[in-house]
Amino acid sequence: MNRMLLKLLNKILNTAIVLVLLVTALYSFYCIWDNNSIYDAPAELQKELKSQRPDERSPSFEELLKVNPDVAAWVTLEGTQIDDPIVQGEDNQEYLNKNVYGEYALAGSLFLDSRCDRTFQGSYQLVYGHHMEKHRMFGDLDLYLDPQFFESHTTGTLMVPGRTYSLQILASMRTEESDHFIFDPEHCLSEPESFRQEILSKSEYIHEELWRKWEQEPEKYSVLALSTCSSEKEEERIVVFAVYKSGE
């Protein structure tokens, strides 16, 4: 009797172990699928939006504005897979986890700080995007922390309705999310000298000739700051600065 009971208990235990292993395996496969879905979603969205990408010669945003009236611009950086629309919400939380179509998406959208000028005529424009793997969203910004990449990839384009601006990469840095000189556009505008010194002191790489031109005639340039999270420290941010002549 005891032997039969022991066999039964062993059978129940073995069955339970198999079920646990099966559930664990299924959960692991789900996690892998879910993770891939998160990173593939921005790629699929980007492919879909490419058909509505404005023509650089005379950018019309008519189709994009039908999709979402919050679309303000389109940014492209040479040598990266950053080639996406920029939206601007009522605040800086709206597009953290919402795509251009207004649907929930963990990857969010590239979005302009709500305090900045959506026409990109202001002297300082700050754009945020999640740091995603597989070159998604602003995942390529950390390429500008490599000296060879920084030196060899110096251009991009910024399109707004009816206008295309040539971007020149100015500097790249790591900084803290609490850096108000970078992440408070109103503060930057009120203290332009301190803002320039902040970039100069914290940047890992700077294009010196372009820096001198901007420093000598800052009124001729607008600064576009592109910011994303760092994969190394939670409170750290990677910021790439580009300049363009918005007044011409």
Side-chain angles (χ1 to χ4, degrees):
M1 182 68 178
N2 289 337
R3 187 176 295 177
M4 291 179 62
L5 180 61
L6 184 61
K7 285 183 178 180
L8 178 61
L9 290 175
N10 283 336
K11 187 175 181 180
I12 293 173
L13 180 61
N14 289 335
T15 302
I17 291 173
V18 170
L19 288 173
V20 169
L21 290 174
L22 181 60
V23 170
T24 301
L26 289 173
Y27 180 72
S28 297
F29 283 124
Y30 169 77
C31 290
I32 293 172
W33 172 83
D34 187 54
N35 188 63
N36 287 333
S37 296
I38 289 171
Y39 286 106
D40 289 342
E44 293 302 316
L45 179 63
Q46 190 178 50
K47 288 180 183 178
E48 190 174 341
L49 288 171
K50 278 289 179 67
S51 63
Q52 297 164 358
R53 186 183 191 276
D55 185 338
E56 292 183 14
R57 292 169 296 182
S58 180
S60 169
F61 278 64
E62 183 178 353
E63 294 302 316
L64 282 170
L65 290 172
K66 288 179 183 177
V67 171
N68 187 345
D70 286 343
V71 174
W74 189 291
V75 64
T76 306
L77 296 183
E78 170 207 357
T80 75
Q81 292 192 33
I82 297 171
D83 187 20
D84 298 280
I86 298 171
V87 294
Q88 186 181 44
E90 292 185 4
D91 55 48
N92 289 339
Q93 306 300 313
E94 184 173 352
Y95 283 97
L96 276 175
N97 298 119
K98 187 166 76 171
N99 65 24
V100 175
Y101 289 98
E103 303 162 342
Y104 174 80
L106 193 62
S109 303
L110 304 187
F111 63 93
L112 179 67
D113 191 290
S114 59
R115 295 163 291 185
C116 291
D117 177 9
R118 69 173 284 122
T119 68
F120 284 80
Q121 293 293 303
S123 59
Y124 184 57
Q125 306 296 124
L126 176 60
V127 176
Y128 305 93
H130 287 302
H131 187 282
M132 306 290 289
E133 293 181 2
K134 300 181 181 181
H135 308 279
R136 310 305 187 212
M137 306 308 288
F138 270 173
D140 276 352
L141 285 187
D142 52 6
L143 292 174
Y144 291 94
L145 298 176
D146 175 82
Q148 292 184 340
F149 186 91
F150 183 81
E151 288 298 326
S152 58
H153 297 83
T154 60
T155 63
T157 58
L158 174 69
M159 290 184 283
V160 298
R163 189 74 181 271
T164 298
Y165 298 110
S166 296
L167 297 175
Q168 300 177 75
I169 303 300
L170 176 68
S172 62
M173 70 158 63
R174 289 184 176 94
T175 190
E176 303 76 29
E177 62 177 343
S178 58
D179 188 341
H180 61 277
F181 280 107
I182 305 301
F183 298 114
D184 184 349
E186 295 170 349
H187 189 85
C188 298
L189 295 175
S190 65
E191 298 188 37
E193 287 296 331
S194 297
F195 171 58
R196 283 193 287 274
Q197 284 304 311
E198 184 77 357
I199 297 177
L200 186 62
S201 64
K202 285 193 173 182
S203 290
E204 297 196 17
Y205 304 106
I206 291 178
H207 287 294
E208 294 183 2
E209 184 178 350
L210 181 58
W211 177 273
R212 286 193 292 270
K213 290 180 180 178
W214 177 50
E215 192 173 35
Q216 290 169 4
E217 299 180 299
E219 70 281 356
K220 287 188 175 182
Y221 296 91
S222 290
V223 178
L224 177 67
L226 307 173
S227 172
T228 193
C229 298
S230 168
S231 57
E232 297 179 5
K233 298 179 182 179
E234 184 178 351
E235 69 279 3
E236 187 176 69
R237 297 293 180 265
I238 296 169
V239 187
V240 174
F241 298 92
V243 295
Y244 60 101
K245 294 184 177 182
S246 59
E248 294 185 351

